[in-house]
Amino acid sequence: MIVGITGGIGSGKTTVLKMFQKFGIDCYIADVEAKFIMNSSVIVKTKIIASFGEESYIDGALNRRYLASQVFANEKKLELLNSIVHPEVAKHFDEFVKHSNSEYIIYESAILFESKTFKKCDFIITVTAPIDIRIERILKRDNTTKIDVLNRMKNQISDEKKIEKSDFVIQNIDLIETEKNVEEIHTKLLSFL
Ligand code: ATP
C-alpha cells in the first residue's frame, strides 16, 4: 500500500513524514531522491548536460542555481527536465518498494499531482497551513526571500484542488494536534491492510 503525502511549500510535509517514520513506516522523499539521482546517475547527468549545457554541473555536482534559472518560468524546459528526471525517480522508487518490509509506504512530493505519481498511491494525504505561516517557516528555514517563496507558491496547484483529490487532510499548525492526526490516520491505514 502506497500513501502519498503532498502539500504546498512550507506546509510541513517532511515534518508529518517524520511522524509516520516514528511508527516504523518506510518513507521516500521524492525531492531528496531526485537530487541524489541528478548527482549520481550517469544516464541522467548525460541527458541534462545534452539538454541544458555543461554549466549544469560544476566539478560533477549539480548546479542547482543554473538549472533552476533555466526552467523557471519556462514550461517547455521544465517539462524537458521532468521528462529526464521523473522516470528515473519512478524506477528508483519501485526498487525502494520492492525492498521494503514496511506495513505501508509513504511517498512525499510537493508535485504529487503534477508529476502524476498520485496514480501509484492508494491513499493521499494533503498537508495544509495558512500561507502567511508557510512563508514565515520558509524564511526561517531557508536562505531565501519572500518574493522567491511567493513565486514558488505560484507554480504549485492550489490547496483546494489538492484537497479535492485527497483521502486525508492534515492542518499542520499546532504540532501536538498534527501528531494526534497522524496517529489517527496511521491507525486507519493499518485497518485497510
Ligand atoms: P518544502 O515544501 O519546502 O519541502 P515542507 O512542506 O516539507 O517544505 P517542512 O520542511 O516539514 O515543510 O516544514 C517547514 C519548516 O517549518 C521546517 O523548518 C519545520 O521545522 C517547520 N514546521 C513545520 N511544521 C511546523 C509546525 N506545526 N509548527 C512550527 N514549525 C513547523
Side-chain angles (χ1 to χ4, degrees):
M1 191 162 90
I2 295 167
V3 180
I5 292 187
T6 193
I9 172 172
S11 56
K13 296 176 290 298
T14 305
T15 303
V16 165
L17 170 137
K18 283 180 185 159
M19 293 174 184
F20 280 99
Q21 252 170 354
K22 280 194 200 153
F23 292 115
I25 301 303
D26 283 349
C27 297
Y28 189 93
I29 305 180
D31 198 34
V32 171
E33 302 299 343
K35 274 178 209 146
F36 169 73
I37 287 167
M38 284 193 269
N39 272 303
S40 59
S41 158
V42 178
I43 301 173
V44 169
K45 275 184 157 182
T46 309
K47 285 186 184 171
I48 289 179
I49 291 170
S51 303
F52 297 95
E54 293 286 342
E55 308 96 298
S56 306
Y57 290 87
I58 300 172
D59 295 332
L62 186 72
N63 183 353
R64 290 189 59 206
R65 196 178 282 265
Y66 166 77
L67 212 52
S69 73
Q70 288 289 298
V71 302
F72 180 72
N74 188 329
E75 222 170 287
K76 282 240 159 77
K77 282 192 175 178
L78 180 61
E79 260 174 37
L80 175 62
L81 180 63
N82 286 341
S83 73
I84 297 170
V85 180
H86 285 170
E88 293 304 315
V89 174
K91 270 192 235 162
H92 188 246
F93 177 62
D94 290 345
E95 281 303 308
F96 179 85
V97 173
K98 258 189 226 161
H99 294 105
S100 169
N101 290 316
S102 184
E103 287 154 309
Y104 58 90
I105 288 167
I106 296 272
Y107 181 96
E108 186 216 302
S109 171
I111 53 165
L112 190 75
F113 294 109
E114 296 89 330
S115 68
K116 310 280 180 236
T117 321
F118 74 96
K119 290 183 183 169
K120 281 191 187 177
C121 300
D122 301 289
F123 294 95
I124 292 169
I125 302 169
T126 289
V127 183
T128 65
I131 280 191
D132 51 338
I133 294 181
R134 287 164 51 200
I135 294 171
E136 207 175 287
R137 286 176 185 164
I138 298 301
L139 291 179
K140 214 163 147 192
R141 190 193 63 186
D142 301 343
N143 180 21
T144 188
T145 61
K146 189 171 173 180
I147 291 177
D148 180 56
V149 179
L150 288 170
N151 276 331
R152 280 153 70 193
M153 282 178 169
K154 255 193 249 161
N155 285 332
Q156 299 184 334
I157 64 168
S158 69
D159 275 1
E160 289 71 26
K161 284 202 176 129
K162 287 184 187 123
I163 289 169
E164 238 173 64
K165 294 176 183 156
S166 299
D167 303 281
F168 303 99
V169 178
I170 297 178
Q171 222 207 351
N172 170 41
I173 300 171
D174 176 69
L175 283 173
I176 307 278
E177 277 303 310
T178 300
E179 261 177 4
K180 272 193 218 154
N181 238 311
V182 167
E183 191 168 356
E184 277 166 22
I185 294 171
H186 173 66
T187 307
K188 220 170 201 171
L189 288 171
L190 292 182
S191 77
F192 293 136
L193 289 175

